[in-house]
Amino acid sequence: MKALIQRVSSAKVEVDGSITGAIKQGILVFIGIEKTDEKLQIDKMIKKLLAYRVFYDDDGKMNLSVADINGGVLVVSQFTLAADTKSGTRAGFSTAKPPAPAAILYDYFLSQIKQVHTPIASGIFGADMQVSLTNDGPVTFLLEC
């Protein structure tokens, strides 16, 4: 599983012109679910991303997590993160989990993260989404589990 996280001062996702999720300060999380991923990887990723230190403390060091600052988390499914890009000039998607089982894991991700953190917002799995954000920093990390 891969999660591309961006520290944001605000972010939103729209589907068909309607906002499905929006946050103020927090992290925007694009998740790519790979073929071998199961609930164990989801659980590990949730712990990791909520604890990952990307916000500044009083000394100007990145020592605070989104949980520490009670920031928002906007979750957006992005199967292209699971792409094989090692060769050629076109991505291959044989490493991505097929849509039906990936949707189940995405829903599991949302249900589990909502149990341990608020606020949580999200896009819609498989939808054509328009994502807007103000990257704060910029600060972007690729997390893998």
Side-chain angles (χ1 to χ4, degrees):
M1 173 173 217
K2 294 180 182 174
L4 183 74
I5 65 170
Q6 296 184 315
R7 185 179 73 191
V8 298
S9 52
S10 65
K12 69 178 179 177
V13 60
E14 296 179 62
V15 176
D16 295 328
S18 295
I19 297 173
T20 64
I23 61 168
K24 295 188 181 188
Q25 183 183 34
I27 57 174
L28 170 59
V29 181
F30 293 102
I31 61 170
I33 301 171
E34 297 174 301
K35 192 178 279 186
T36 59
D37 291 339
E38 296 299 336
K39 289 180 178 179
L40 176 65
Q41 285 78 23
I42 300 290
D43 294 338
K44 284 182 178 181
M45 183 60 77
I46 289 169
K47 283 183 181 181
K48 188 172 189 174
L49 75 86
L50 290 177
Y52 213 75
R53 298 178 294 171
V54 299
F55 295 92
Y56 293 117
D57 63 14
D58 291 338
D59 294 325
K61 298 190 188 259
M62 277 198 268
N63 279 328
L64 301 176
S65 69
V66 70
D68 293 331
I69 68 155
N70 296 313
V73 177
L74 176 57
V75 181
V76 176
S77 63
Q78 187 173 349
F79 83 97
T80 58
L81 282 176
D84 179 1
T85 60
K86 292 180 182 161
S87 64
T89 57
R90 183 176 173 170
F93 296 103
S94 63
T95 53
K97 196 164 211 73
I104 292 168
L105 287 180
Y106 177 76
D107 290 342
Y108 176 78
F109 184 101
L110 289 175
S111 71
Q112 294 304 109
I113 198 168
K114 286 176 181 177
Q115 290 181 29
V116 294
H117 186 81
T118 58
I120 301 292
S122 66
I124 298 174
F125 183 88
D128 182 18
M129 295 175 273
Q130 310 306 307
V131 181
S132 303
L133 66 132
T134 302
N135 190 317
D136 180 18
V139 173
T140 304
F141 294 99
L142 179 62
L143 306 181
E144 298 182 70
C145 283

